[in-house]
Amino acid sequence: MRGFIGFIVMIQGAMGFVGQTFFDHAWGLLPHWFELPSAAYAGLFAAGAALAVWGDTAKKRKQRQAGAV
């Protein structure tokens, strides 16, 4: 579940950053509720990537432990 949520947050951060930096306004769902600077969208992307990696690592660790038993 962490990986899925991380992926969604990562996409929202990337869309907001690219839209606000290179075009006239941020894209995605978050700009409908919040006005964030470009650095915040980059931070959301990084946080989403960290969640996705954490979720994938936990899934692989669980698979290794199940295979070892």
Side-chain angles (χ1 to χ4, degrees):
M1 190 65 172
R2 280 181 294 229
F4 179 72
I5 292 172
F7 185 70
I8 297 299
V9 170
M10 192 170 60
I11 288 176
Q12 289 297 313
M15 288 175 58
F17 180 78
V18 169
Q20 195 164 355
T21 303
F22 299 111
F23 298 99
D24 57 347
H25 64 281
W27 299 332
L29 190 59
L30 289 176
H32 293 284
W33 297 313
F34 307 105
E35 256 185 65
L36 299 172
S38 295
Y41 285 116
L44 281 170
F45 178 81
L51 274 174
V53 168
W54 183 22
D56 191 47
T57 304
K59 184 170 66 172
K60 287 181 181 180
R61 185 181 313 121
K62 189 175 182 180
Q63 288 174 348
R64 276 193 307 231
Q65 288 175 350
V69 172

